[in-house]
Amino acid sequence: MAATIDHVQETLTGTRGDSDEAEEYLYNILAEGWGFPETHIERGRTGIDVSGRVHRHEDNYAGHLENQFGTKHPFLSAAAVGEKYQPGAMGSKAVKGVEQMATKASIDASTVQDAVPIIVDPMIMDVQRQRAPVLDRIDTRSQQGFTAKYNIISGRSEPIGYAGQSDIIDLSDNDYGDFAIETDSEEMSIYVDQVNISDFASRATDSLEYMDLENTTLGQRTIEWALTKAAAYFYADPDAGETDFGYSSLGSDNAFPGLAHLAQSAGNDFDRTTVDVSADGFPVLEDLKSVLTWTVQNTGLTYADAEIFVSPALFDLIENEANPVTRLESFQTGVQFGARQLNIKGVPVTECPNISPNFELPWDGSPEDPGNAFIVDRRAVQFRALAPLFTLPLGRQGLADRVAMAEYGSLVDKSQGEHTFWLEYDTGSVDFDPATA
């Protein structure tokens, strides 16, 4: 039987649809099952700062998990044993990490047998950062509800301003300084996949410490999730009218709006192919800098919160425009040519392999030229999730363990697209094409 989302949700919560019981159960995968603390994620709203929890222990996240759970990989350990787990009854087939958790009494058997938020496991984080860096750069926050609700500051009152000494003796006739908050919302989209993890489970029972996750079915399906989600971040369009599954689903009304759609809705998509990339100097760098400066000057975006995501071809072009640096490693044993990180006015320029015309979308959503750039306000753009990526055991089929991978969430932009810009450049002849080489 296929792992439809109704089947997944009924297996997990005992109910289908968007009932209060279902949303509470899904939210509690992180909150209660795995002890992620609730915090204030914005004025008047509580949730779980998933990215903040990981980044807070950035230098030694695996060590932090080991201190808390007794193993560096509690989530993948639990996903490997699934509903078969019985404390002390698995013998040599037990995953070492799960037994360590049981010994430390940090997680009980019912939690291990249930849904597991693998998105916060160090191995999954590494896969995500390597294959889809935008997923790591845009914060994920979990909140209860099938609809992502978020605040938008729509206005601020004027201050009392500069006043004379006689005026400030009594301020009772003046209004209090305040600001207006509106609430916007976005229906959460649902990602679902079905995975046969027999190869992962058998290898995980031996050791998770030295296992190459990418050589397992679970690892490959996680990569597919990361690539699809990252493409959705940039190009998903719920108004494209697609009805099929697979990549076409990024253009169905089940998808959340991506950055290109958000920018278009606000009138912030611009064709910059008229910039002459063959001109002397730094034409694309200067153009990107001018757009960034205008955005900071005329919107609420700040340099501290901005980030520019660019395609590999465009990153290569602007890196060539900048003064090339050849770096010698210690003792001159090797040469490093080409940068991996650039900054414009202190704003990071991040190369994203997921911005590419090679990701063929069935509707008119693929960029016509590989030179795409997105200016994003990282304070405004967030991924709000009822339940970040998790696995759920669906029972055994033959010799295989079947699990569902699912995620409930949506990309939101608290600036309503005003701080989001989509720019398209012509990369000229810098882009290598085997067909014309």
Side-chain angles (χ1 to χ4, degrees):
M1 180 171 58
T4 66
I5 196 62
D6 280 343
H7 179 213
V8 171
Q9 188 170 309
E10 188 168 33
T11 301
L12 181 61
T13 70
T15 181
R16 300 188 179 199
D18 54 358
S19 67
D20 292 343
E21 293 82 2
E23 70 177 37
E24 182 177 4
Y25 201 111
L26 288 162
Y27 177 72
N28 283 333
I29 292 173
L30 281 173
E32 289 187 1
W34 290 90
F36 278 57
E38 280 192 304
T39 59
H40 289 282
I41 57 175
E42 62 184 1
R43 185 180 180 182
R45 301 188 197 284
T46 58
I48 300 170
D49 186 358
V50 180
S51 296
R53 178 183 171 90
V54 173
H55 294 154
R56 193 175 302 118
H57 306 282
E58 190 79 47
D59 293 338
N60 190 20
Y61 179 52
H64 164 72
L65 293 176
E66 188 171 28
N67 290 335
Q68 182 177 0
F69 296 104
T71 174
K72 294 179 180 179
H73 300 285
F75 310 103
L76 286 181
S77 294
V81 296
E83 62 183 359
K84 303 189 301 294
Y85 176 64
Q86 295 294 329
M90 298 184 70
S92 60
K93 294 183 179 181
V95 174
K96 182 180 178 182
V98 174
E99 295 298 298
Q100 289 171 329
M101 285 192 284
T103 301
K104 196 166 183 176
S106 56
I107 295 295
D108 61 23
S110 62
T111 301
V112 172
Q113 295 165 358
D114 212 336
V116 180
I118 62 170
I119 181 60
V120 286
D121 193 276
M123 279 192 184
I124 301 297
M125 297 296 296
D126 286 343
V127 169
Q128 177 177 287
R129 287 168 179 158
Q130 294 170 18
R131 304 292 183 134
V134 67
L135 303 186
D136 185 56
R137 299 299 298 163
I138 291 180
D139 286 346
T140 295
R141 292 181 176 176
S142 181
Q143 67 176 87
Q144 189 166 332
F146 286 96
T147 300
K149 295 182 179 180
Y150 51 97
N151 296 338
I152 297 170
I153 297 177
S154 56
R156 301 181 181 89
S157 62
E158 294 184 7
I160 295 173
Y162 296 99
Q165 186 172 358
S166 60
D167 297 320
I168 64 175
I169 294 176
D170 184 4
L171 298 177
S172 59
D173 291 335
N174 294 277
D175 293 331
Y176 289 96
D178 201 359
F179 60 93
I181 288 183
E182 295 180 359
T183 296
D184 205 348
S185 62
E186 185 71 41
E187 290 293 322
M188 291 198 182
S189 298
I190 303 168
Y191 176 94
V192 65
D193 197 5
Q194 182 173 258
V195 188
N196 175 329
I197 66 164
S198 56
D199 60 337
F200 166 73
S202 62
R203 275 189 252 177
T205 56
D206 297 326
S207 174
L208 268 169
E209 298 297 325
Y210 307 104
M211 185 180 68
D212 185 353
L213 181 65
E214 294 189 16
N215 286 333
T216 67
T217 305
L218 179 63
Q220 286 300 312
R221 298 318 299 170
T222 301
I223 290 172
E224 190 60 45
W225 160 81
L227 295 177
T228 303
K229 184 177 178 181
Y233 269 26
F234 293 113
Y235 300 117
D237 184 354
D239 299 327
E242 293 294 318
T243 57
D244 292 335
F245 294 136
Y247 296 142
S248 294
S249 65
L250 274 66
S252 73
D253 57 8
N254 295 316
F256 53 75
L259 293 171
H261 185 276
L262 292 167
Q264 286 176 320
S265 299
N268 289 338
D269 57 312
F270 296 100
D271 182 352
R272 307 302 296 160
T273 56
T274 55
V275 175
D276 184 3
V277 298
S278 62
D280 293 337
F282 319 100
V284 178
L285 274 172
E286 290 176 350
D287 191 72
L288 270 174
K289 184 164 72 72
S290 67
V291 176
L292 175 65
T293 303
W294 185 95
T295 308
V296 170
Q297 181 175 318
N298 293 279
T299 73
L301 179 66
T302 67
Y303 292 118
D305 295 324
E307 184 154 354
I308 303 173
F309 298 100
V310 300
S311 64
L314 186 60
F315 187 91
D316 195 50
L317 187 151
I318 60 178
E319 196 267 338
N320 288 340
E321 284 187 356
N323 291 326
V325 177
T326 300
R327 294 184 296 278
L328 297 180
E329 298 177 355
S330 58
F331 306 110
Q332 298 185 354
T333 57
V335 174
Q336 176 68 30
F337 180 73
R340 290 301 306 275
Q341 181 65 60
L342 295 171
N343 291 279
I344 298 177
K345 303 183 79 168
V347 173
V349 180
T350 301
E351 179 181 359
C352 282
N354 320 102
I355 304 175
S356 171
N358 295 326
F359 192 96
E360 293 293 341
L361 301 178
W363 73 100
D364 187 22
S366 298
E368 295 181 2
D369 192 273
N372 273 218
F374 293 86
I375 298 176
V376 173
D377 184 344
R378 290 186 59 219
R379 185 179 291 273
V381 176
Q382 302 171 355
F383 187 74
R384 292 289 180 90
L386 170 59
L389 184 69
F390 63 89
T391 58
L392 176 69
L394 296 178
R396 297 186 66 85
Q397 188 176 49
L399 298 177
D401 293 295
R402 290 191 307 124
V403 302
M405 293 175 65
E407 181 173 59
Y408 291 71
S410 178
L411 193 70
V412 303
D413 185 350
K414 298 171 70 173
S415 77
Q416 296 183 311
E418 293 298 324
H419 303 175
T420 301
F421 281 67
W422 178 25
L423 312 170
E424 291 195 77
Y425 292 92
D426 179 5
T427 58
S429 60
V430 70
D431 198 27
F432 173 74
D433 185 356
T436 59

